Structure formats: C-alpha cells, structure tokens
Amino acid sequence: MSNEIYQKIRVVLVNPSHPGNIGAVARAMKTMALAQLVIVAPQRDPFDSEARARAAGALDVLLRAQVVEQFEQAISDCGLVVGASARLRTIPWPTFDPHQCAQQVVATARHDAVALVFGREDTGLTNDELARCQRLVHIPANPDYSSLNLASAVQVITYEIRMAELAAGDQSVSLPPEQPLATAAELQGLYQHLEKTLQQIGFYDPANPRQLMRRLRRLFNRAQLDKMEMNILRGILAAVDEKHK
Ligand code: SAH
C-alpha cells in the first residue's frame, strides 16, 4: 500500500468544542488509514475521557495528535489546503464534491503535504480561514439540512480519499513534478507583498477594498503555484517596489 500518500495527508480541526467529536474524528481517520491529526486551539481538553472513549481502537491516532495555537501553524508547510464547508460563501470559491476532492488530494499527496481543514461545530470556518484554503469541499447534503456532524464529515471525505487511492493503485512510475508546490506560508507571504506593493502604486485602497485581495487570492489559488513560479512573482513585485522607491 502507498503509505507515503496517507502520511502526507493531515486532518486539521479548527477550534473544536467537543472532545467526543475529536475522538470520533480519530476513529474515522484510522478506518481510512489516515493518522495525521492536528487540532488548532481546542476549546476543551482534546484528550479527556470522552475523547478517548469515542476514539476506541484509534486511541493511538488521538494521542499522537498535534495541538497548535494558530491555524497558520497547522497548514504552513502544505502545498494544498482544502477547507470543508457546509455552506457556500459570499464570493464563490473553487469548490469540489468529495469525489473530485479525493482525486486532487491523492494526486497532490504523491509529492506535497495536503491539509483537509474542518471548522467549528457551531459556526464552521471563518471567511478569513476559508480564504487560506485553495479549494473548498462541500458534501452535497440535503439543502434543507446540510450540516453534518464534524466526525461524519471527516468520515465521508476521507472515505473518498481511500477510494481514490485504492483506484489509483501503484503509480510510483509516474514522473515527479518539476518543482514542489509553493507552501501555504509562501502563498501568505506573496499576498502580503502583493497587498503592500498594490497600495504603494495606488492600485489598491484599503479603505475601499471591494474584495480585491480576496479575488486575487482566488486567482492565485486556482493556479496552484509551484516554487519557481512563486519566485518569479516575488521577483516582479520586488522590481516594482524598486522602481517606485
Ligand atoms: N453550522 C456550521 C457547520 C459546522 S459542522 C456551518 O454552517 O458552517 C462542522 C464542520 O464539519 C464544518 O465546519 C465542515 O468543516 C464540516 N462539514 C459539515 N457538514 C459539511 C458538508 N455538508 N460539507 C462539507 N463539510 C461539512
């Protein structure tokens, strides 16, 4: 089995409130051969007795989970960040169903780390968190009641990943990409640089943002920049900064 693929895929829970759900997520993951769990700022002890009971035979996955304070820390080294969302948002973002999501996740995880990001039980992910995701995945549930339990959503999405991985079989002969993908942290650096430069040259007025930065993020996210392309864009911005000094 291509274990390396599973090791490159992590599940990120943002600010979960119920330890029982966290245990159930560990169990859902282990049944689908996934083991990398990252918990961002849990509201209660993620390793309490309820979490352990719900993890059942996946206690190892639960106890090895990494707890971090900031969302950024959970995704910074990832080449692909996919956010799971129960609702569709203000400006439409590239959105997959779980099957399409799994195809891209499995293809990307051959060479780059992938984060699957899940939101809070009550309010989901914030718009800023969603903007850090290159793709969204939406389970096309009942439109009158589309919000699955957190661990159920993890189960559906990771099941599709397992199916895609089994179907893809051993593709170890396929060529590696020319360049690794730019990481989430590098993309964040690009957006900050772009925002600063666009302000300097008077193209972007933060008082009247009209979604400009969000639209630019969406554009670059669609492109799945690799490291070389990222360096070219940073070089162009640096040259503009230099001229405008
Ligand atoms: N009321 C919240 C739903 C939270 S459910 C909201 O409207 O956003 C907790 C998490 O489970 C969500 O943040 C999302 O990551 C995942 N989830 C629940 N239902 C989903 C669905 N239909 N498609 C994709 N993810 C879903």
Side-chain angles (χ1 to χ4, degrees):
M1 192 199 298
S2 351
N3 273 322
E4 318 84 65
I5 289 190
Y6 293 105
Q7 280 160 19
K8 289 232 188 249
I9 302 172
R10 79 186 66 158
V11 168
V12 176
L13 304 180
V14 178
N15 211 206
S17 50
H18 300 298
N21 279 337
I22 301 173
V25 165
R27 182 175 186 172
M29 288 172 61
K30 188 168 177 180
T31 57
M32 298 300 134
L34 293 171
Q36 316 292 327
L37 175 59
V38 184
I39 310 167
V40 182
Q43 296 177 35
R44 282 163 46 198
D45 175 13
F47 308 115
D48 77 0
S49 58
E50 203 193 336
R52 288 164 192 255
R54 294 284 301 280
L59 192 58
D60 56 333
V61 172
L62 176 67
L63 297 182
R64 279 206 313 267
Q66 198 191 340
V67 178
V68 298
E69 271 315 302
Q70 305 287 333
F71 178 46
E72 177 64 31
Q73 296 166 278
I75 59 164
S76 59
D77 60 327
C78 289
L80 176 64
V81 180
V82 182
S85 178
R87 287 174 289 150
L88 301 171
R89 306 286 161 147
T90 41
I91 78 163
W93 213 248
T95 302
F96 288 141
D97 68 29
H99 179 79
Q100 298 161 328
C101 166
Q103 305 296 320
Q104 176 142 24
V105 166
V106 168
T108 305
R110 291 185 194 291
H111 38 82
D112 287 281
V114 177
L116 304 168
V117 181
F118 294 84
R120 300 156 187 81
E121 289 92 334
D122 49 354
T123 53
L125 294 166
T126 64
N127 282 334
D128 280 346
E129 286 157 357
L130 287 165
R132 301 295 311 275
C133 301
Q134 284 128 311
R135 301 281 189 276
L136 299 186
V137 56
H138 175 70
I139 300 163
N142 178 357
D144 295 330
Y145 188 57
S146 65
S147 175
L148 280 76
N149 163 268
L150 176 59
S152 305
V154 170
Q155 189 77 75
V156 170
I157 286 165
T158 57
Y159 166 72
E160 287 290 349
I161 289 173
R162 177 136 180 94
M163 290 298 281
E165 195 280 323
L166 292 174
D170 182 15
Q171 295 190 357
S172 49
V173 290
S174 72
L175 286 175
E178 207 184 342
Q179 284 278 323
L181 295 175
T183 63
E186 289 164 344
L187 280 170
Q188 187 66 2
L190 171 70
Y191 299 134
Q192 281 160 359
H193 193 171
L194 192 59
E195 184 166 346
K196 204 180 90 234
T197 304
L198 292 180
Q199 271 184 51
Q200 262 168 26
I201 63 174
F203 186 81
Y204 171 58
D205 174 7
N208 182 16
R210 285 195 332 256
Q211 310 259 37
L212 174 71
M213 291 315 299
R214 216 175 276 267
R215 284 183 196 284
L216 287 173
R217 261 179 194 272
R218 182 172 66 170
L219 169 67
F220 288 114
N221 280 340
R222 264 203 321 270
Q224 284 215 290
L225 301 174
D226 68 25
K227 287 194 193 296
M228 171 89 74
E229 293 161 340
M230 168 65 69
N231 288 341
I232 294 171
L233 288 170
R234 291 296 296 260
I236 293 172
L237 289 173
V240 173
D241 294 344
E242 187 60 34
K243 274 263 187 255
H244 207 259
K245 255 204 320 233

